[in-house]
Amino acid sequence: MSTFIILIFMCAAQVGAKIYSHYHLFKVIPQNQFQLTGLKAMFEDGDYKIDFWIAPSSVNRTTEFLVPPSYVSRVKGILHSLDAETHILNKNIQEVIDQENEEQAHNGSQYTAYASNSVTDKYASYNEIKNLLHSYETKYKHLSVIKFGKSFEGRDLVAIKFSTGPGKRVIFVESGMHCREWISIASSLKIIERMATTLGQDPEIDELLRLYDWIFVPTVNPDGYYYTHNFDRMWRKNRRPINFFCTGTDLNRNFAAGWGGPGASPNPCNPTFRGTSVFSEPEAKALASFVKLVQPIAFFSVHAYSQYIMTPYGYTYKKPADSMELTHLAHKAAAAIKAVNGLKFTVGTPPELLYIATGGAYDWAKLEANVKYSYAFELRPTQSYGNGFLLPKRNIKPSSLELFAALKTFAKGFYNR
Ligand SMILES: [Zn+2]
């Protein structure tokens, strides 16, 4: 094939967004080792084009995955041969994506119960987020916007820092490493909005800014986030091409924390590809340098979905020496979340709740950056909700209140330690 024809193919592939018509969302809970092994083989075999939203981990733990229509009968056959009880949560995920697009277009309409802001009430684009942060910077004195690097495609990696005076310890919150987890970005942005605009009017914000400086990185993976808005809603990784066929590294598998071990794929086509080396990805590397520079007392990775507060470590079943203390605070935060809207968040390490995952940012913060309090959230919804990552935007405000309640509880918990 000539280079010219290849180029035409590549251009054609870029026209319009990927369509998910009749993609089926499956849910299976393996009941025995045989079924689990079969699911894991599906997970590791890129040929099936199956997108695992929740990877298979152990017996009796939920796995959820999206299957293209052309593979549905084949996958059903495999599951039948495993004698696995199969639930189909959705038979046409494109309908949900269409609903989401429609909702995005009609801003503020049916959800007027909350103060309306055209950017923070929807799943804002990268540029809208960046512009909003800069608009705060021109308006408010207690915050600054920090560029700490560039993405592979040249977008600014942007943080916002809140500080009402010198000498305070820093709490660091990052979101959007997995760019399809839109609720994590939107929930963080709502908190940023509150910290920016309500100082002196909101006693909770006043207190949090009296105790600490706060740094938020709302979109750690801006190229991927742009891609989810314009080309493929279900994209998870960054956008650096690895070879002719496959693009992207799972940034949350690229950190120096058991890198290259289980729960991270060596296959560049896999959604959990670990990268070509530790910190091979500019976004992960820049975030790590920034965290080392800042030396926060606490580091939070915000993800979705499953409603978990995860304590270290993700890369091993071993726990840090202060695990009891960290877990105790996480339970308090979970109680605070429950008090907001009644949602249950479960506390545990990734191997306890999901699976071992190596190369994760919050493990790295604890292991390598000397951050004592390091956690990861999986925000709403629960597993089995049906549309996992495709959460209607009316969830943004309540989800952000849940995240806020947890962060506040943690912050107060750290203060006297
Ligand atoms: Zn994630």
Side-chain angles (χ1 to χ4, degrees):
M1 204 184 293
S2 77
T3 312
F4 177 69
I5 294 174
I6 290 169
L7 272 173
I8 288 178
F9 269 109
M10 288 175 77
C11 292
Q14 291 293 306
V15 175
K18 180 171 176 178
I19 303 296
Y20 282 91
S21 291
H22 304 291
Y23 275 61
H24 284 39
L25 184 62
F26 280 71
K27 173 190 160 183
V28 177
I29 303 174
Q31 302 296 318
N32 53 49
Q33 200 57 42
F34 175 64
Q35 292 175 356
L36 179 67
T37 305
L39 285 163
K40 282 190 170 172
M42 280 163 64
F43 176 64
E44 272 142 34
D45 187 345
D47 286 351
Y48 291 116
K49 316 276 182 230
I50 297 170
D51 176 16
F52 275 82
W53 289 14
I54 298 171
S57 52
S58 43
V59 172
N60 291 325
R61 296 248 184 93
T62 295
T63 175
E64 293 181 9
F65 47 94
L66 193 61
V67 180
S70 53
Y71 285 87
V72 163
S73 62
R74 202 162 146 190
V75 167
K76 278 182 179 168
I78 295 169
L79 294 170
H80 185 73
S81 71
L82 294 171
D83 199 23
E85 192 184 337
T86 302
H87 306 269
I88 294 174
L89 299 174
N90 192 307
K91 287 188 174 174
N92 186 2
I93 211 75
Q94 184 61 39
E95 279 182 2
V96 190
I97 295 174
D98 290 344
Q99 282 163 16
E100 187 179 71
N101 287 336
E102 176 124 337
E103 226 191 35
Q104 288 277 89
H106 296 285
N107 201 29
S109 56
Q110 65 264 56
Y111 308 121
T112 48
Y114 302 117
S116 184
N117 177 306
S118 57
V119 175
T120 63
D121 282 354
K122 66 172 182 179
Y123 295 114
S125 71
Y126 164 77
N127 278 333
E128 287 172 319
I129 293 172
K130 198 172 97 166
N131 292 340
L132 184 71
L133 301 190
H134 283 299
S135 77
Y136 290 151
E137 195 179 34
T138 57
K139 209 169 163 187
Y140 301 105
K141 294 232 172 333
H142 68 291
L143 59 87
S144 54
V145 175
I146 300 164
K147 291 178 192 170
F148 63 92
K150 292 261 188 205
S151 68
F152 173 73
E153 290 178 352
R155 292 183 177 84
D156 288 328
L157 301 172
V158 185
I160 185 164
K161 178 178 180 181
F162 298 92
S163 180
T164 55
K168 295 187 178 110
R169 294 178 296 178
V170 177
I171 293 180
F172 197 105
V173 184
E174 63 86 5
S175 54
M177 205 169 272
H178 295 146
C179 48
R180 65 186 177 183
E181 299 164 8
W182 284 6
I183 191 66
S184 71
I185 295 166
S187 301
S188 299
L189 195 63
K190 266 269 172 227
I191 296 176
I192 291 169
E193 176 186 52
R194 191 168 164 189
M195 277 195 184
T197 62
T198 69
L199 182 67
Q201 303 156 37
D202 180 339
E204 290 184 282
I205 293 297
D206 294 353
E207 189 184 11
L208 291 184
L209 290 177
R210 183 174 59 75
L211 300 179
Y212 297 100
D213 289 349
W214 292 75
I215 294 178
F216 288 82
V217 179
T219 51
V220 177
N221 177 10
D223 299 347
Y225 190 54
Y226 177 84
Y227 201 74
T228 60
H229 274 270
N230 294 285
F231 297 106
D232 183 350
R233 175 65 184 87
M234 301 326 304
W235 192 255
R236 168 185 170 95
K237 303 189 280 184
N238 77 346
R239 291 295 306 162
R240 188 172 75 87
I242 304 299
N243 58 35
F244 183 76
F245 301 102
C246 295
T247 289
T249 291
D250 184 339
L251 296 178
N252 207 32
R253 302 289 185 277
N254 194 231
F255 285 72
W259 185 87
S265 177
N267 174 2
C269 301
N270 192 290
T272 62
F273 178 54
R274 65 195 183 191
T276 43
S277 61
V278 172
F279 292 128
S280 56
E281 305 312 304
E283 300 86 0
K285 195 174 175 187
L287 187 78
S289 303
F290 187 40
V291 170
K292 282 215 160 173
L293 188 73
V294 167
Q295 298 195 324
I297 179 182
F299 177 90
F300 294 97
S301 282
V302 187
H303 290 257
Y305 58 99
S306 288
Q307 295 182 192
Y308 294 147
I309 301 176
M310 296 189 292
T311 57
Y313 293 115
Y315 80 104
T316 171
Y317 280 94
K318 282 188 216 134
K319 294 181 182 184
D322 54 2
S323 176
M324 292 266 281
E325 181 192 353
L326 268 65
T327 305
H328 175 70
L329 288 169
H331 281 291
K332 283 186 148 185
I337 290 174
K338 193 163 191 196
V340 179
N341 298 305
L343 296 198
K344 183 182 186 315
F345 275 56
T346 306
V347 174
T349 67
E352 286 167 349
L353 298 169
L354 292 161
Y355 37 75
I356 281 191
T358 50
Y362 90 110
D363 270 0
W364 169 84
K366 177 84 178 156
L367 281 169
E368 302 287 334
N370 203 25
V371 180
K372 178 170 171 65
Y373 299 102
S374 193
Y375 295 90
F377 290 99
E378 297 283 356
L379 300 183
R380 53 166 70 194
T382 54
Q383 296 174 358
S384 312
Y385 164 82
N387 305 322
F389 300 118
L390 300 161
L391 198 59
K393 69 177 183 179
R394 62 175 174 274
N395 286 273
I396 293 172
K397 176 86 183 215
S399 173
S400 124
L401 289 172
E402 286 150 12
L403 180 59
F404 183 84
L407 291 175
K408 189 179 82 174
T409 304
F410 274 123
K412 288 185 176 176
F414 306 148
Y415 194 68
N416 292 319
R417 286 163 194 270

